[in-house]
Amino acid sequence: MRRRPIIGTSLAVVVAMSLAACGGDGGGEDSKTVRVTLVNHVWTENIKKVLPEFEKQSGLTVEVTQLGEDQLSDQYNVKLNAGSDDLDVMMYRPLQEGKLFAKNKYLADLSERVKSDSAFEIGDFQAGPMQATTYEDNIVGLPIITEQEVLYYRKDLLTKSGFTAPPKTLDELKAQAAKIEADNPGVAGFVARTGKAAAVTQFSSFLFSFGGDFVDASGKATVNTEQAKQAYAYYGGLLRDHGPENISTDMSWSEAMAIFTQGKAAFYTEANSLYKNATDPTKSKVVDSVGFAAFPAGPAGSKPYNIPSWALGVNDSSENKDNAWKFIQWAAGKEQALAQQTAGVPGARTSVWANPASTATLPKDLAEANTVSTANGVGHDRPLVVKVAQAREIVGQPIVDAITGKDAASSADTANAAFQKFLDDEAK
């Protein structure tokens, strides 16, 4: 009789089945055990509840290792560097470590598997998130959790100032922020992240909507193009002119969100995944007045990020790739994607987003904003590099300089030179 694995739920639980109990060594294509490494996340808790269904359908036993983010990274660093074959399925962050893993050939190429499996419908995945799980035209992961940038706003303040709808363009955002601020002393027109590294992800949607990006198609640094300079100047200027008084330049999402939820700002651009901070009455004073809208359009249109925060991949050193793929087929398939999204975990499948049931638990205006974001979204919110943290520090400096009133264009030129050197060094 097969013994079911114990599946841990604490912050750092490593679940290991006795190999003797499995009746095998846990490895190789003949194994009936698939070893899945997951992070502590609502998605993981949801998938664990239905694992018996997969095991019954497939005849496989799922052995789960569940870890916190830092511990997950530590384990991957040790095991993947050593070429260990005792990881089969890996839950990973495409934008944080995806390029490193792909470049080092830690992730198996899944292209032939997904393209030959018509039932899986790879074309159902949104282009933005898939961009981040593709390396040199090879599909190395499947996005399972996504997020997009939207506009949070105060409906009551808009009405008071005579506005009948939230801004649809960045020009309108600036005008409305200025008017509301003038009409409400002590309330900032706009708030957002200001920290050099922290602001990069949210600034990215402004960059894309102005027609810029961090690099061009050939991989050359482009943070000093005219479009990029305009984006830096706009973002920094909006915070400098209409942001909170005595604004600091080290705010991450938690500080910016607190200003908005305490009623001290009219507009706030942020990830939609954080919306419950504004709708939870135990955390927010603006529960009854908060609204959500699509990211305002710039000269290049509304182009917010639409990114995969987590994906599933297969360890290239695994000798159990067939069974690993069976798990991903199921876990990233339409049925599970719909179940996850209905439970509040947004995914990357177009058909699921089109199903009203998948957004029924969201505020109606947030669901509508998400529709625009997923249709127009760009698949990255930071430079797609190996050393992500270092790159964010470089391209984030002009944000800080623009906020503090320095010459944003000159700062962008300096940042571009440093970023190009960084890219050249990383390519060696």
Side-chain angles (χ1 to χ4, degrees):
M1 182 177 179
R2 186 182 66 189
R3 242 168 60 177
R4 288 205 23 88
I6 302 169
I7 301 174
T9 58
S10 63
L11 181 63
V13 176
V14 179
V15 184
M17 287 181 63
S18 162
L19 295 180
C22 293
D25 63 2
E29 295 293 358
D30 295 330
S31 173
K32 289 296 183 180
T33 297
V34 59
R35 297 154 302 182
V36 180
T37 303
L38 305 176
V39 75
N40 285 335
H41 194 283
V42 175
W43 185 94
T44 298
E45 298 305 321
N46 291 340
I47 209 73
K48 280 163 40 179
K49 293 174 185 176
V50 291
L51 278 179
E53 298 176 14
F54 171 73
E55 292 186 322
K56 183 176 180 180
Q57 294 170 10
S58 65
L60 298 172
T61 296
V62 179
E63 177 184 318
V64 175
T65 298
Q66 182 176 341
L67 301 166
E69 287 189 29
D70 290 343
Q71 293 158 312
L72 186 75
S73 294
D74 290 343
Q75 181 175 108
Y76 285 161
N77 285 338
V78 172
K79 293 200 171 187
L80 296 176
N81 284 332
S84 176
D85 64 359
D86 63 356
L87 302 173
D88 297 326
V89 178
M90 300 162 47
M91 188 173 179
Y92 75 100
R93 297 170 295 184
L95 298 177
Q96 196 64 25
E97 57 226 359
K99 186 168 183 179
L100 172 66
F101 286 2
K103 185 176 181 180
N104 289 345
K105 303 189 183 304
Y106 295 155
L107 294 169
D109 181 4
L110 303 176
S111 303
E112 291 305 314
R113 292 181 187 273
V114 299
K115 291 174 183 177
S116 63
D117 184 355
S118 59
F120 188 69
E121 291 188 41
I122 188 61
D124 189 37
F125 285 84
Q126 296 162 349
M130 281 302 301
Q131 173 197 5
T133 58
T134 302
Y135 179 72
E136 294 183 346
D137 297 326
N138 296 323
I139 297 172
V140 295
L142 279 305
I144 52 172
I145 304 168
T146 64
E147 64 179 44
Q148 300 78 29
E149 186 166 7
V150 298
L151 179 68
Y152 294 57
Y153 71 96
R154 289 277 300 282
K155 292 183 285 187
D156 56 331
L157 296 181
L158 263 70
T159 299
K160 180 181 176 181
S161 291
F163 298 112
T164 58
K168 293 184 177 180
T169 68
L170 291 176
D171 286 341
E172 289 179 4
L173 173 60
K174 182 183 290 186
Q176 291 192 16
K179 178 69 163 61
I180 292 172
E181 184 177 67
D183 292 345
N184 299 273
V187 175
F190 177 76
V191 70
R193 302 185 195 186
T194 62
K196 182 165 55 174
V200 168
T201 54
Q202 307 315 303
F203 164 74
S204 70
S205 297
F206 292 83
L207 177 63
F208 304 147
S209 297
F210 268 93
D213 205 331
F214 300 107
V215 299
D216 63 17
S218 68
K220 295 293 185 181
T222 56
V223 294
N224 73 334
T225 62
E226 187 59 32
Q227 295 87 347
K229 289 178 177 179
Q230 290 174 3
Y232 280 123
Y234 178 93
Y235 187 86
L238 192 59
L239 283 163
R240 185 178 66 254
D241 297 338
H242 304 297
E245 289 187 12
N246 302 315
I247 189 170
S248 71
T249 53
D250 60 358
M251 289 197 299
S252 187
W253 76 266
S254 55
E255 293 85 6
M257 177 69 79
I259 291 171
F260 181 79
T261 57
Q262 294 308 299
K264 299 299 183 181
F267 295 104
Y268 172 41
T269 49
E270 187 54 82
N272 55 2
S273 59
L274 299 171
Y275 84 92
K276 288 186 178 179
N277 288 276
T279 60
D280 182 346
T282 67
K283 299 177 180 179
S284 174
K285 294 181 179 179
V286 299
V287 171
D288 295 329
S289 59
V290 63
F292 304 94
F295 190 86
S302 174
K303 291 189 175 181
Y305 63 70
N306 175 24
I307 61 165
S309 47
W310 291 94
L312 294 178
V314 175
N315 175 19
D316 195 51
S317 295
S318 169
E319 297 181 1
N320 199 18
K321 292 186 181 69
D322 287 347
N323 289 336
W325 172 241
K326 288 179 183 178
F327 178 85
I328 292 178
Q329 279 179 305
W330 171 77
K334 282 187 177 182
E335 182 179 347
Q336 288 307 315
L338 177 59
Q340 290 278 2
Q341 193 151 316
T342 302
V345 183
R349 282 188 174 271
T350 301
S351 63
V352 171
W353 279 100
N355 188 329
S358 73
T359 56
T361 61
L362 296 176
K364 184 179 178 181
D365 54 356
L366 179 58
E368 292 171 351
N370 289 344
T371 299
V372 175
S373 299
T374 55
N376 303 335
V378 178
H380 57 279
D381 62 355
R382 67 203 76 179
L384 292 171
V385 296
V386 172
K387 297 178 180 177
V388 178
Q390 186 178 341
R392 287 175 70 158
E393 290 285 325
I394 296 171
V395 302
Q397 185 60 51
I399 297 173
V400 173
D401 290 343
I403 293 170
T404 57
K406 295 180 181 178
D407 186 340
S410 176
S411 180
D413 285 333
T414 301
N416 197 74
F419 189 39
Q420 186 59 57
K421 183 179 184 304
F422 167 90
L423 295 171
D424 292 341
D425 291 343
E426 193 166 276
K428 293 178 181 177

